Amino acid sequence: AWFFPSPFIGLFKETVNQYGRYSETSTLMGKYQFAISGFILSGTILGLSTAAIHLMGKGGRYLKPAQIAIVVIFLFDVWFLNYKFISTVPWKDDPHIALSPAIEYIKKDKDLFRIFPMDKTPNNKWWGYFKIESIGGYVTVTDRFYQQYLENLDIGGNLVDLLNVKYLVLSKDDLGSDVNVGSMILGKYVVVFNEDPLSVVLLNTNFTPRVYPVHSAIIEKGADRIFNVLAHPRFNHREAVVIEEEPPQPGLSISPVTSAASKVVMTRYTNDNINIKAEMSENGFLVLSEKYYPGWKAYLDGKETKIYKANYVLRAVYLPKGPHNVEFVFDPWPIKVGVLVSLLTLLFLIGAVVWRVRKKNVI
């Protein structure tokens, strides 16, 4: 696999590329070499650990050196994994978590929103440290659908509004240091903070709330066709949602009822549980500005209901006219399998210990 990578790369090419941002051969080769070197390192650590444990079992003069070897292997393993991520710079001097005037300004807003950082901040984790949500995410590899959405993003169009982006952060080098608070940019952004030496904060006056109702739906399939609809100047994202399946009730595409006639309130928001109260004046959809992702389930008034893929990357559930309680729960089956395997392993270990003790007592 190390000396003849071509057949192996061909075997895994589609699997590797569909999750990443790029698909160039050089990048794919880099991922492949990283995986192989990691496998070799893991195998080496596993082999040395097994040998040390075997020597510990022999006891006698092997016991002390084997114990020392186990500690050394463990420390090396932990160090090798963490030295790339753990900073040894004092907290106050670390640029990745330095508090800037722009952050102080944005943190004063207690609303539920996201930002779009286009300045020279270190990375998205910098914002995450201060619990400010960024559309860039906090991982280096994102899912394919969301990456396609970001690649089609235009700060002057509807796509950025649909992601609940309330603030746009630009570099003063790009925007100019003489821009005044209150100035309008691109027709929908107003400068609200200009006291940071490096960045300017703009308010998106057309941003979409994290959750909102609509009474009109557009059925469209295919990424290109969907993005054409979403980016169209006449598409009103506050009044309609683009879904890829027929809704359970016909006629939503021509509903004259405005979204302002219905009310939704988010009562709970955590990483794996979201509760919403809705009062629908007419049949429609509840659109949640969160990624459509496997493992999420939705419950309408206590009964599980279908989650529609909305606006290519978001979630929506169909709501009939009237009051409703909606709950989104992250409940993926791999976690259940992992918990089951862990419990079975624990029971096996307990049984093995009991059996060993009983056998020793009998002897």
Side-chain angles (χ1 to χ4, degrees):
W2 180 264
F3 294 104
F4 304 98
S6 296
F8 293 96
I9 289 181
L11 183 64
F12 294 107
K13 182 176 181 180
E14 293 300 323
T15 304
V16 174
N17 276 345
Q18 67 175 322
Y19 298 108
R21 181 178 301 181
Y22 306 108
S23 59
E24 287 85 349
T25 305
S26 59
T27 306
L28 183 61
M29 177 63 76
K31 292 179 181 179
Y32 178 80
Q33 291 176 340
F34 180 80
I36 295 297
S37 60
F39 181 81
I40 292 174
L41 178 63
S42 299
T44 302
I45 292 175
L46 178 61
L48 293 174
S49 301
T50 304
I53 292 171
H54 178 69
L55 291 176
M56 286 175 62
K58 288 182 175 294
R61 62 191 181 93
Y62 297 107
L63 182 60
K64 196 69 175 179
Q67 290 176 334
I68 295 175
I70 284 291
V71 173
V72 171
I73 292 170
F74 170 76
L75 292 177
F76 171 79
D77 189 16
V78 173
W79 169 83
F80 190 85
L81 178 66
N82 287 293
Y83 85 96
K84 300 176 182 178
F85 308 103
I86 297 179
S87 175
T88 57
V89 177
W91 181 86
K92 63 178 181 179
D93 300 325
D94 191 340
H96 294 87
I97 53 176
L99 184 63
S100 70
I103 288 178
E104 290 184 301
Y105 176 83
I106 295 175
K107 279 184 66 66
K108 293 178 182 178
D109 191 334
K110 303 304 179 182
D111 195 7
L112 192 60
F113 61 88
R114 297 189 181 96
I115 67 166
F116 187 2
M118 299 182 67
D119 58 345
K120 297 180 180 179
T121 50
N123 52 49
N124 284 294
K125 295 181 179 63
W126 187 56
W127 298 99
Y129 181 83
F130 297 99
K131 296 182 173 60
I132 298 175
E133 297 185 36
S134 165
I135 64 169
Y138 310 103
V139 293
T140 54
V141 180
T142 185
D143 62 90
R144 176 166 52 92
F145 292 108
Y146 188 64
Q147 186 56 47
Q148 283 180 302
Y149 192 96
L150 294 182
E151 289 172 354
N152 282 273
L153 206 62
D154 176 8
I155 62 173
N158 291 326
L159 296 185
V160 67
D161 304 331
L162 291 168
L163 293 183
N164 186 221
V165 174
K166 188 173 183 179
Y167 294 105
L168 181 69
V169 185
L170 297 178
S171 170
K172 279 191 173 179
D173 293 340
D174 298 329
L175 191 60
S177 58
D178 58 345
V179 64
N180 297 319
V181 173
S183 301
M184 293 297 298
I185 308 294
L186 296 175
K188 65 177 180 179
Y189 296 101
V190 56
V191 177
V192 292
F193 186 77
N194 192 26
E195 298 177 17
D196 191 297
L198 301 176
S199 306
V200 179
V201 180
L202 293 81
L203 172 67
N204 180 9
T205 59
N206 203 34
F207 85 103
T208 305
R210 187 64 58 93
V211 59
Y212 58 98
V214 296
H215 301 285
S216 298
I218 300 172
I219 295 87
E220 195 60 85
K221 295 182 180 181
D224 292 339
R225 296 175 65 90
I226 292 174
F227 284 126
N228 285 338
V229 174
L230 294 176
H232 198 282
R234 295 180 61 184
F235 174 71
N236 188 341
H237 57 280
R238 293 297 299 271
E239 298 295 340
V241 62
V242 179
I243 58 176
E244 301 178 31
E245 303 174 64
E246 289 289 340
Q249 194 74 20
L252 285 177
S253 60
I254 56 174
S255 175
V257 181
T258 64
S259 61
S262 298
K263 304 296 180 184
V264 296
V265 178
M266 186 176 292
T267 58
R268 176 180 171 83
Y269 182 84
T270 65
N271 288 338
D272 55 8
N273 187 274
I274 301 172
N275 293 334
I276 302 163
K277 287 186 176 294
E279 182 72 43
M280 301 294 289
S281 61
E282 189 53 77
N283 298 337
F285 279 91
L286 177 84
V287 182
L288 179 65
S289 182
E290 296 284 346
K291 282 200 297 185
Y292 181 88
Y293 195 79
W296 280 95
K297 296 181 180 179
Y299 296 89
L300 175 59
D301 300 326
K303 296 182 179 180
E304 188 171 354
T305 187
K306 179 180 178 60
I307 299 179
Y308 289 84
K309 188 180 176 187
N311 297 334
Y312 198 69
V313 292
L314 306 180
R315 302 177 217 158
V317 294
Y318 174 78
L319 298 184
K321 180 180 179 179
H324 300 285
N325 290 316
V326 181
E327 182 180 18
F328 290 88
V329 179
F330 188 58
D331 188 26
W333 67 264
I335 290 183
K336 295 179 180 179
V337 174
V339 170
L340 178 61
V341 171
S342 299
L343 289 176
L344 292 176
T345 303
L346 178 62
L347 292 175
F348 172 79
L349 292 174
I350 294 174
V353 171
V354 172
W355 177 81
R356 182 74 178 265
V357 171
R358 291 185 62 182
K359 182 179 180 181
K360 185 176 181 180
N361 291 338
V362 169
I363 295 176

